[in-house]
Amino acid sequence: MTNERLTRLFSPASVAVIGASNSFDKLGYHVMKSLVGNYRGKIFPINPKGEKIWGLISYPSLEAIPGEVDLAVIAVPARAVPETLHACGRKGVSGVVLITAGFKEIEDPGGGALEEEIREIAGRYGLPIIGPNTFGFVNLSSAVNASFTSEFSRIEKGGVALISQSGGICHLCGFLAIEQRVAMSKLMSLGNRCNVDFPELLTHLVETDDTTRVVALYIEGLDEPRKLLDAARSLRGKKPIIALKAGKSEKGDSASRFHTGSLAGNHAIWKGALRQAGILEVATAEELLDAAKAIDSCPLPGGTRIAVLSGQAGPGMIASDALEPCGLRLSEFSEATQRRINDLLPPIAIRSNPVDMGPAWYNPGNIIEILKTVLDDEQTDGVIFLAMYASANLKLAEGMVEYMKAVDPFRKPVIACFTAPPGIWDEPIKALDRSKGAAILPTPERAVNAMANLWKVRLLTKGTG
């Protein structure tokens, strides 16, 4: 499977939707909805009735299309897939998204036989297939939504790519990404992995895709896990790789077999193997996104010494408590740093680490100056920055946005938590998030955990994690 074919598959100049429909209860309807008005290339609906689909002229077959087709999205019954793939091969299609289910994931042994048949057909024509049994993919970088969920186009464009064995996890993570401003390059579900699997895509995203800076994986079960681990090991140090592995329990293992046709396997063995391959393992979908966002937004820390700067004492204490269990510790400020903080804050609050910046609520310039001073301290490797809204500090976030405009990008990671009722700090938080080397997460504990994961990635990248 060449990178050139995958590049054309993910950034096609034209897309044919086989099974396109005007009927809401057909997946072909929803694939068309995802493309029309969003995708800038040519769209060719294929429908034997010959009617207009989503306002576009449809074609009775692939052969009737008067031009090249880079990508075919197939949403037809499983029994019709073999002949449809032959048609794709004859047309010279570069790649296929096979949404149709009913292959090796079903209990009927006929499903496995049918999947073998389509694999053989695809091999004959050199056709890469995403699927079957997939929701498709979204390439935010090229505005291609080749899925049956149009809302994925609302995800901000950025450097996080998610390769998932589950369409459901893609939907969970995709919608969380919209809420929490995780910016993505690509989002894809592999389904049954007919002939495009984790190793091929991981290599493509790391070696070829300039828009991806971190790769997140959701894994259930693999028939040949060594191929993925070998690929990750060979790519070590080029781009961070994070994985959420399901199937820890006996039930989860069994469910994996019936979801994607592969057993999940012994989790303890997986855990060690992922680490040896340089992959950061996380425990939840939430942690997967937090870590990916932090890696995409922040420089990696040079050590474990962390400063906690908080607008209120309580959240600062919670963050401080969370450091040690994560393998981090509070930094000791240099004398020069402490003197400067003492100049900027009156002696009515804690001015050593964790710093209570409450007295500076009305002076965002001083808060930014404290942040810069701490980041310049050679005895600090990263900053947890916390600010909770209170009516009296209404203008704090807005003021920080103004002062941040003149600040150079941070050389050390800053992970922040800004909390306010909806509609109050929305725009300032959006402006500050993923800016200058800072990422914003919902709680102090999640901010600390993401900082710890940045440090683990640093170690894994160097081969010492």
Side-chain angles (χ1 to χ4, degrees):
M1 201 66 60
T2 65
N3 272 331
E4 184 182 351
R5 281 238 172 186
L6 290 177
T7 299
R8 289 184 69 186
L9 187 157
F10 288 123
S11 299
S14 56
V15 178
V17 179
I18 304 172
S21 175
N22 284 321
S23 176
F24 183 87
D25 60 358
K26 302 289 186 185
L27 288 177
Y29 170 96
H30 299 279
V31 174
M32 289 297 296
K33 181 183 177 186
S34 297
L35 289 166
V36 174
N38 177 50
Y39 174 59
R40 294 188 291 270
K42 296 176 182 174
I43 304 171
F44 301 114
I46 307 292
N47 186 291
K49 295 179 183 176
E51 60 188 5
K52 280 193 170 184
I53 307 289
W54 274 83
L56 300 176
I57 295 172
S58 71
Y59 299 84
S61 65
L62 267 175
E63 289 83 352
I65 294 174
E68 294 186 354
V69 173
D70 280 344
L71 172 65
V73 182
I74 299 175
V76 299
R79 64 181 180 279
V81 170
E83 180 47 40
T84 303
L85 289 178
H86 279 299
C88 289
R90 291 193 296 268
K91 182 67 177 174
V93 170
S94 296
V96 166
V97 169
L98 182 50
I99 288 174
T100 307
F103 296 88
K104 74 172 184 178
E105 81 280 4
I106 63 174
E107 292 186 76
D108 186 335
L114 188 56
E115 186 155 326
E116 279 304 312
E117 182 182 355
I118 65 170
R119 181 180 291 109
E120 188 276 327
I121 294 169
R124 195 182 308 174
Y125 297 105
L127 267 178
I129 295 177
I130 305 294
N133 186 25
T134 177
F135 86 95
F137 76 85
V138 186
N139 180 354
L140 281 306
S141 309
S142 300
V144 182
N145 186 341
S147 82
F148 54 68
T149 303
S150 61
E151 289 78 7
F152 284 137
S153 298
R154 299 180 192 173
I155 300 172
E156 291 184 50
K157 187 172 22 175
V160 178
L162 172 62
I163 311 173
S164 171
Q165 219 169 328
S166 160
I169 292 295
C170 279
H171 284 72
L172 172 66
C173 290
F175 301 149
L176 285 174
I178 294 170
E179 285 179 12
Q180 297 172 15
R181 300 173 303 280
V182 180
M184 307 188 80
S185 59
K186 292 176 180 62
L187 177 74
M188 66 190 79
S189 165
L190 299 183
N192 293 5
R193 296 160 288 126
C194 175
N195 65 3
V196 177
D197 208 334
F198 283 102
E200 294 85 7
L201 287 174
L202 184 61
T203 302
H204 175 74
L205 291 171
V206 173
E207 298 279 23
T208 306
D209 185 13
D210 294 336
T211 63
T212 292
R213 289 186 287 275
V214 52
V215 182
L217 310 176
Y218 169 73
I219 305 166
E220 292 184 354
L222 299 179
D223 299 326
E224 298 179 284
R226 182 173 293 279
K227 288 185 177 179
L228 167 63
L229 299 171
D230 286 346
R233 198 175 291 110
S234 71
L235 299 167
R236 190 172 199 145
K238 295 184 176 179
K239 292 179 185 176
I241 304 167
I242 320 167
L244 172 60
K245 176 70 177 69
K248 298 181 177 69
S249 66
E250 186 178 338
K251 282 290 184 185
D253 194 21
S254 174
S256 173
R257 165 66 181 84
F258 289 105
H259 187 199
T260 60
S262 300
L263 288 168
N266 185 297
H267 189 74
I269 294 174
W270 265 102
K271 194 176 183 69
L274 290 171
R275 185 176 64 253
Q276 289 172 14
I279 299 174
L280 173 68
E281 189 195 9
V282 296
T284 65
E286 182 180 82
E287 186 182 6
L288 185 75
L289 286 178
D290 287 355
K293 180 178 181 179
I295 294 168
D296 186 35
S297 309
C298 306
L300 298 179
T304 60
R305 302 165 301 178
I306 305 301
V308 176
L309 309 181
S310 181
Q312 293 92 348
M317 292 174 66
I318 288 175
S320 301
D321 286 345
L323 290 174
E324 189 172 333
C326 291
L328 305 175
R329 58 192 168 102
L330 285 169
S331 59
E332 295 282 344
F333 294 152
S334 70
E335 291 183 9
T337 296
Q338 193 61 66
R339 278 199 303 273
R340 183 61 179 143
I341 293 174
N342 292 350
D343 289 341
L344 294 165
L345 285 177
I348 56 173
I350 301 171
R351 296 185 291 183
S352 57
N353 197 8
V355 180
D356 179 359
M357 300 185 299
W361 271 6
Y362 306 107
N363 194 337
N366 276 13
I367 287 180
I368 295 293
E369 192 59 31
I370 293 169
L371 175 60
K372 288 166 57 182
T373 299
V374 169
L375 286 169
D376 286 340
D377 191 328
E378 292 184 357
Q379 296 176 194
T380 293
D381 298 307
V383 171
I384 301 295
F385 187 98
L386 310 169
M388 312 298 127
Y389 167 80
S391 184
N393 67 6
L394 172 64
K395 297 184 178 178
L396 173 62
E398 189 176 301
M400 286 190 64
V401 172
E402 288 303 312
Y403 279 98
M404 283 284 282
K405 290 176 181 175
V407 173
D408 292 331
F410 303 139
R411 293 178 296 104
K412 299 174 184 174
V414 176
I415 302 187
C417 171
F418 284 80
T419 301
I424 294 185
W425 280 356
D426 293 359
E427 290 306 313
I429 289 174
K430 187 177 178 181
L432 292 167
D433 198 8
R434 307 195 324 271
S435 171
K436 307 278 179 134
I440 296 177
L441 296 177
T443 67
E445 295 93 334
R446 285 172 63 176
V448 169
N449 198 40
M451 183 69 79
N453 279 329
L454 287 181
W455 172 239
K456 290 174 185 173
V457 166
R458 175 72 175 240
L459 295 176
L460 288 166
T461 301
K462 293 165 63 178
T464 56

